[in-house]
Amino acid sequence: MVEIKTDTALQAMREAGRVVAHALAAARAVASVGVRLRELDEAARSVLSEARARSPFLGYRPAFAPSPFPAVLCASVNDAVAHGIPGDYRLRDGDLVSLDCGAQLDGWTGDAAISFTVGTPRPADLELIAATQQALDAGIAAATVGHRIGDISHAISTVAGRARCGMPSDFGGHGIGRSMHEDPHVPNHGRPGRGFPLRHGLTLAIEPMLMAGGRNSYRTDLDGWTLRTIDGSRAAHIEHTVAITEDGPRVLTLP
């Protein structure tokens, strides 16, 4: 069931989104060559704790997962597309890092992701990150009253196709509000004019995941969580929680 939020609920989600933005910024600030991924998770945990927010990631166990997620942050490096578990891996010069984080505050949820490079960047990685940001921007621009979910999906896939990038065929964005994953599903591939109609008060997590190799297939690590490109190519993941309003799309996961 799709819940349409009141303006008061949207403001509460904005506060949860602000916590997410701060947690991601804190994790990125400590990301440097030689730092372990778990240290990024610790930085995000500190922000959530200080804000008295709960992590919707920690302990989360969807149907596909063999065990609950053990962190508040997904940390995916290089060919990892999403859902990477932050462990003892030490960041290396030139790594491409994607961080995904959520927060629940006063009963409402925010969810966002960022991608960046550590140390000396590869030009191709910067192009991939830029294309992913462009795909997100296009999806957000299409998130207007009177459009449909398919318009968001089509906008994202158009940018990805122009960049000759693939996207995981069965992963995408989602509704969000009282919990992290709600209806409707927001595919990253789609046809304009199709799907659930967008109206004031609908809140969506829009999250393109671009894979430089151009293929839509992926594999899952033995940990049951980490998604990797099938050909070892690099991946980037950028996400915002967005409210559909009569005044246009409103990004809720900004600082």
Side-chain angles (χ1 to χ4, degrees):
M1 185 179 74
V2 176
E3 180 183 8
I4 301 301
K5 280 73 175 182
T6 65
D7 288 346
T8 299
L10 293 183
Q11 185 54 42
M13 288 185 66
R14 175 71 183 97
E15 295 309 311
R18 200 185 310 275
V19 174
V20 174
H22 290 161
L24 286 171
R28 180 172 184 172
V30 301
S32 59
V33 175
V35 172
R36 297 182 188 273
L37 291 180
R38 59 176 170 78
E39 295 178 65
L40 278 60
D41 184 69
E42 290 165 3
R45 285 178 189 249
S46 294
V47 172
L48 295 182
S49 177
E50 184 175 345
R52 297 185 179 180
R54 191 181 79 82
S55 169
F57 288 23
L58 184 62
Y60 178 60
R61 187 178 184 181
F64 67 78
S67 59
F69 195 75
V72 305
L73 190 76
C74 293
S76 307
V77 180
N78 297 333
D79 65 330
V81 185
H83 304 164
I85 297 174
D88 287 332
Y89 175 83
R90 290 186 183 273
L91 290 170
R92 301 172 183 172
D93 187 53
D95 277 348
L96 194 167
V97 182
S98 296
L99 303 179
D100 190 358
C101 188
Q104 289 183 331
L105 183 68
D106 297 329
W108 297 99
T109 312
D111 184 11
I114 59 174
S115 287
F116 57 93
T117 58
V118 173
T120 306
R122 299 183 182 184
D125 288 347
L126 297 180
E127 292 175 4
L128 177 62
I129 293 170
T132 309
Q133 183 65 59
Q134 290 165 11
L136 175 60
D137 291 344
I140 292 173
T144 59
V145 172
H147 279 180
R148 291 178 176 267
I149 292 292
D151 294 299
I152 298 174
S153 306
H154 179 71
I156 291 171
S157 61
T158 296
V159 174
R162 190 162 57 236
R164 298 183 178 180
C165 291
M167 293 186 290
S169 54
D170 50 358
F171 281 88
H174 48 89
I176 185 171
R178 298 179 191 275
S179 61
M180 180 168 58
H181 291 132
E182 299 181 350
D183 291 332
H185 177 54
V186 186
N188 285 329
H189 303 83
R191 298 173 61 186
R194 301 294 182 92
F196 192 84
L198 307 183
R199 51 181 288 197
H200 181 92
L202 179 65
T203 47
L204 304 172
I206 302 174
E207 51 178 322
M209 309 167 195
L210 270 61
M211 301 185 292
R215 303 170 67 177
N216 295 331
S217 53
Y218 61 91
R219 65 180 178 86
T220 305
D221 276 1
L222 293 177
D223 62 22
W225 279 100
T226 308
L227 308 182
R228 293 191 186 275
T229 60
I230 201 73
D231 55 5
S233 62
R234 303 271 188 142
H237 175 203
I238 308 179
E239 173 186 15
H240 270 308
T241 296
V242 178
I244 315 300
T245 80
E246 295 289 353
D247 297 323
R250 180 185 177 197
V251 178
L252 302 179
T253 40
L254 293 173

